[in-house]
């Protein structure tokens, strides 16, 4: 059986990952050289957003290092019934994680590691990555090989829609994550970009006046583009009440939608700050 691994930045909770039988290799969040936390092990999203309120400077993030990948691959391969490993990496256009994972595989092979390992560049992050990870886990449970799973992921990936809005772009600018967003003066102009994660990067696809209207537009995009009756990840950054309201609106549009509400994880939350809401779903 194929064992699925991924970065913790997929933003699935430890419980969700356990239910899927997926190993998440933790990314690191560093508030200082001496204050570092493993994502979803030593820090969670609510804690992160509370800490950001008092931060003059954003914490740094680091993807798993070579030793972490090698150890995770060894442990996964040792599980009973494991015949192959498939590691879904976050987008290589925003992180060196994919290359690090592939280097780890080469080093293990040089040491005689016998279990085949495939590293797949998801071209996604956060809940876009979660869509692919969950699909991979379900396919692995059906007995598909790593090559067969990758083939199906390649077909699915262009149809993963990830759309969101943020109350402020301040953290994105501070963290250098706003380069592909044209509306850099959005906060001053009191307009909000509608953002999409596609082809490995985030960009804007339009602007509206105010965050409420931005959320309305995200809901409209679901109405226009979604394959109804499927699974929807509704993600938020410390906006639980708003997320539930949007879930009710989605169910009014698509009563058969299977909605999972989740927090934007601590790694991505550094750049969104509190006040982000979006959707990840299969689109036409």
């Amino acid at each position: 059986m194929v064992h699925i691994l991924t970065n913790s930045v997929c933003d699935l909770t430890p419980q969700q990952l356990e239910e899927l039988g997926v190993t998440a290799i933790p990314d690191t969040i560093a508030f200082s050289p001496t204050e570092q936390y493993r994502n979803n092990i030593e820090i969670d999203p609510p804690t992160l957003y509370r800490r950001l309120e008092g931060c003059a400077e954003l914490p740094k993030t680091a993807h798993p290092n070579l030793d972490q990948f090698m150890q995770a691959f060894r442990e996964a391969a040792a599980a009973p019934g494991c015949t192959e490993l498939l590691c879904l990496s976050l987008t290589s256009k925003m992180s060196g994680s994919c290359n690090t994972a592939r280097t780890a595989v080469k080093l293990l092979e040089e040491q005689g590691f016998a279990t085949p390992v495939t590293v797949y560049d998801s071209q996604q992050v956060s809940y876009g990555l979660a869509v692919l990870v969950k699909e991979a886990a379900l396919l692995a449970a059906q007995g598909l090989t790593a090559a067969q799973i990758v083939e199906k992921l390649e077909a699915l990936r262009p149809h993963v829609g990830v759309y969101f809005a943020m109350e402020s772009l301040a953290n994105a600018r501070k963290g250098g994550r706003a380069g592909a967003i044209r509306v850099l003066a959005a906060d001053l102009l009191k307009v909000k970009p509608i953002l999409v994660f596609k082809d490995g990067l985030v960009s804007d696809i339009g602007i509206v006046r105010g965050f409420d209207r931005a959320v309305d537009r995200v809901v409209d995009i679901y109405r226009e583009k979604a394959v109804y009756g499927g699974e929807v990840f509704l993600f938020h950054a410390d906006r639980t009440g708003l997320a539930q309201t949007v879930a009710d609106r989605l169910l009014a549009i698509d009563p058969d939608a299977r909605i999972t509400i989740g927090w934007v994880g601590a790694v991505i939350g550094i750049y969104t700050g509190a006040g982000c809401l979006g959707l990840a779903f299969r689109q036409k």
Side-chain angles (χ1 to χ4, degrees), residues 36-280:
Q36 301 186 13
Y37 303 97
R38 291 174 295 167
N39 186 37
N40 276 340
I41 297 175
E42 296 157 343
I43 191 169
D44 61 11
T47 303
L48 181 279
Y49 295 116
R50 287 197 300 270
R51 289 291 305 271
L52 286 180
E53 291 176 3
C55 281
E57 184 176 342
L58 295 181
K60 309 296 183 184
T61 61
H63 64 74
N65 59 34
L66 274 173
D67 288 341
Q68 286 176 292
F69 273 115
M70 293 173 72
Q71 183 62 25
F73 292 155
R74 290 191 192 99
E75 291 178 357
C82 177
T83 57
E84 294 182 87
L85 304 181
L86 174 57
C87 180
L88 277 66
S89 173
L90 78 157
T91 171
S92 62
K93 295 181 181 179
M94 293 179 65
S95 169
S97 184
C98 190
N99 286 336
T100 301
R102 287 172 174 158
T103 300
V105 174
K106 291 180 181 178
L107 291 174
L108 285 171
E109 290 173 347
E110 291 172 1
Q111 297 172 11
F113 189 72
T115 305
V117 185
T118 300
V119 177
Y120 179 71
D121 184 354
S122 73
Q123 294 291 292
Q124 275 289 349
V125 71
S126 189
Y127 286 95
L129 176 55
V131 171
L132 296 171
V133 167
K134 186 165 186 179
E135 180 70 8
L138 296 175
L139 293 171
Q142 294 171 20
L144 274 67
T145 67
Q148 291 170 328
I149 295 171
V150 167
E151 182 178 359
K152 290 188 177 294
L153 293 179
E154 283 288 285
L156 171 60
R157 189 170 63 183
H159 299 282
V160 176
V162 182
Y163 300 91
F164 60 104
M166 297 190 295
E167 291 181 8
S168 172
L169 293 178
N171 282 24
R173 286 197 293 270
K174 287 180 185 178
R177 300 296 185 182
I181 302 172
R182 291 172 294 147
V183 195
L184 296 183
D187 292 342
L188 293 175
L189 298 173
K190 297 183 179 179
V191 297
K192 304 301 176 186
I194 310 304
L195 303 171
V196 61
F197 202 95
K198 184 179 180 181
D199 298 328
L201 292 169
V202 62
S203 60
D204 62 280
I205 55 173
I207 58 172
V208 295
R209 180 75 64 176
F211 183 64
D212 289 345
R213 290 186 180 179
V215 172
D216 290 344
R217 181 60 189 133
V218 171
V219 172
D220 287 341
I221 290 171
Y222 181 86
R223 181 184 290 108
E224 298 162 6
K225 295 181 177 290
V227 176
Y228 287 6
E231 183 166 29
V232 184
F233 286 106
L234 198 172
F235 53 89
H236 69 93
D238 202 17
R239 295 296 182 268
T240 304
L242 176 60
Q244 186 57 61
T245 298
V246 171
D248 294 340
R249 293 175 64 184
L250 294 180
L251 288 173
I253 296 168
D254 178 10
D256 295 324
R258 303 189 306 277
I259 300 173
T260 299
I261 297 176
W263 287 69
V264 176
V267 174
I268 301 301
I270 290 171
Y271 305 107
T272 67
C276 171
L277 187 132
L279 305 172

Side-chain angles (χ1 to χ4, degrees), residues 11-22 127 233 260-262:
D11 286 345
L12 292 169
T13 66
Q15 180 181 356
Q16 289 169 328
L17 290 162
E18 183 178 0
E19 290 173 354
L20 291 170
V22 172
Y127 286 95
F233 286 106
T260 299
I261 297 176

